[in-house]
Amino acid sequence: MTASSTGFTFTDQLARTVVLSAPPSTIVSVVPSQTELLFYLGLEKEIVGITKFCVHPAELCQAKTKVGGTRQLNIELIRQLEPDLIIANKEENDASQIKQLASEFAVWVSDVKTIEDAFDMIYQIGEITARTDAAQGLCRLIQSSFEKVIPFSPKVPVAYLIWRKPYMAAGSDTFINAMLQQFGFRNVFSDKARYPETTISELQALKPQCILLSSEPYPFSQSHVQEIQQAMPATRIVMVDGEIFSWYGSRLLNAAPYFIHLRSLLTSNESG
């Protein structure tokens, strides 16, 4: 951040310059995990608009104006809210809509692919919203919790599926991949970029020890566990909380205890 007689200048994670005349008093957040982070930082009064997918914390999100979906924002409604600041994300939001909003409002955009990116995002949002101490404290708590977890060793070969028909997996250059690595998994799709399509035949050839079925964006269910299990009887198939692996804000506080639970499940003799 740099200060001048005309305001404060920030640089977002796309190296864009964002200028504010003062700390924001009206904020629109169009990224669910970052909305939860803003509430954690104590910005309940400043948040005036969120997406329909922003659901945590539930009791606070219910009272906020919904400005559409993450990729189908209601631009006119956002204009009516007259935000001082819009918090967005490169992957989760539509680039053309963000460009349009940035021509009218201050828009800070995150780009989170690694654990380090997540900490940087938290620090920077704390800075631009004048919640630096709270953001730094949150990062310390997350780092401390991560240090208490013993990752799998040797690493467990795993496939993390996010979609069905066609099956799609988390590959390299994703935050999900970074989280898998953090807790001792070896992503069998780490040699493929982003979210590659896959098939049962390819999964059989890759021979993951475990397949994790995410709760989002596709709502996998127990029937899908059974479907894949029939084709791969020697592979552990487990449904997992997608928010733990893909939400990169204050939800990371839940990651360490969740992994400890998941580790216990995967090392037990119980079925997924």
Side-chain angles (χ1 to χ4, degrees):
M1 176 188 71
T2 58
S4 68
S5 59
T6 57
F8 303 90
T9 300
F10 303 86
T11 302
D12 68 13
Q13 290 187 303
L14 298 184
R16 297 170 54 260
T17 298
V18 181
V19 180
L20 297 179
S21 59
S25 60
T26 51
I27 301 172
V28 168
S29 174
V30 292
V31 184
S33 61
Q34 292 174 179
T35 296
E36 184 180 36
L37 170 63
L38 292 169
F39 279 116
Y40 180 94
L41 296 178
L43 293 156
E44 177 185 351
K45 293 181 179 180
E46 287 80 1
I47 298 168
V48 295
I50 61 177
T51 76
K52 63 182 180 181
F53 300 119
C54 297
V55 295
H56 299 299
E59 67 279 7
L60 298 180
C61 286
Q62 289 174 359
K64 300 300 178 179
T65 299
K66 307 305 184 296
V67 297
T70 52
R71 302 191 68 83
Q72 293 181 319
L73 299 171
N74 186 329
I75 303 293
E76 184 53 41
L77 181 54
I78 292 175
R79 289 191 182 109
Q80 293 173 21
L81 294 174
E82 299 182 340
D84 299 326
L85 176 66
I86 298 172
I87 301 289
N89 175 263
K90 178 183 177 181
E91 179 177 300
E92 295 198 41
N93 301 124
D94 178 77
S96 63
Q97 287 200 310
I98 296 305
K99 182 178 181 180
Q100 181 179 356
L101 288 168
S103 69
E104 303 178 44
F105 305 99
V107 180
W108 190 95
V109 184
S110 65
D111 185 19
V112 180
K113 299 174 184 176
T114 67
I115 305 297
E116 292 73 21
D117 289 341
F119 286 133
D120 180 63
M121 178 274 294
I122 293 170
Y123 280 127
Q124 289 200 44
I125 286 184
E127 186 177 45
I128 199 171
T129 60
R131 294 295 192 279
T132 303
D133 289 347
Q136 291 177 342
L138 172 59
C139 287
R140 287 194 295 269
L141 286 174
I142 296 169
Q143 288 172 321
S144 177
S145 70
F146 279 13
E147 289 169 359
K148 296 175 182 178
V149 177
I150 301 174
F152 284 116
S153 182
K155 291 186 176 182
V156 174
V158 64
Y160 187 105
L161 300 187
I162 65 163
W163 201 256
R164 180 175 176 268
K165 291 187 177 181
Y167 286 119
M168 295 177 67
S172 65
D173 205 27
T174 64
F175 187 67
I176 292 171
N177 184 63
M179 288 292 283
L180 291 172
Q181 292 178 337
Q182 174 69 35
F183 294 117
F185 293 101
R186 177 177 64 80
N187 185 0
V188 297
F189 286 98
S190 62
D191 62 335
K192 296 187 178 182
R194 307 300 290 158
Y195 302 103
E197 292 185 10
T198 187
T199 63
I200 292 295
S201 295
E202 183 178 31
L203 288 167
Q204 290 171 330
L206 290 171
K207 297 180 179 179
Q209 182 176 326
C210 178
I211 294 177
L212 305 180
L213 303 183
S214 181
S215 61
E216 62 170 41
Y218 185 88
F220 283 101
S221 67
Q222 191 62 37
S223 65
H224 303 125
V225 172
Q226 297 168 356
E227 176 183 275
I228 299 174
Q229 192 75 77
Q230 288 179 354
M232 303 179 67
T235 303
R236 199 69 179 271
I237 317 296
V238 180
M239 291 189 295
V240 294
D241 184 346
E243 293 176 359
I244 294 294
F245 287 89
S246 61
W247 285 38
Y248 33 74
S250 51
R251 177 88 3 189
L252 288 173
L253 285 172
N254 298 342
Y258 184 84
F259 173 77
I260 292 171
H261 164 73
L262 182 59
R263 182 190 180 98
S264 175
L265 177 64
L266 293 179
T267 56
S268 74
N269 293 320
E270 299 174 11
S271 63

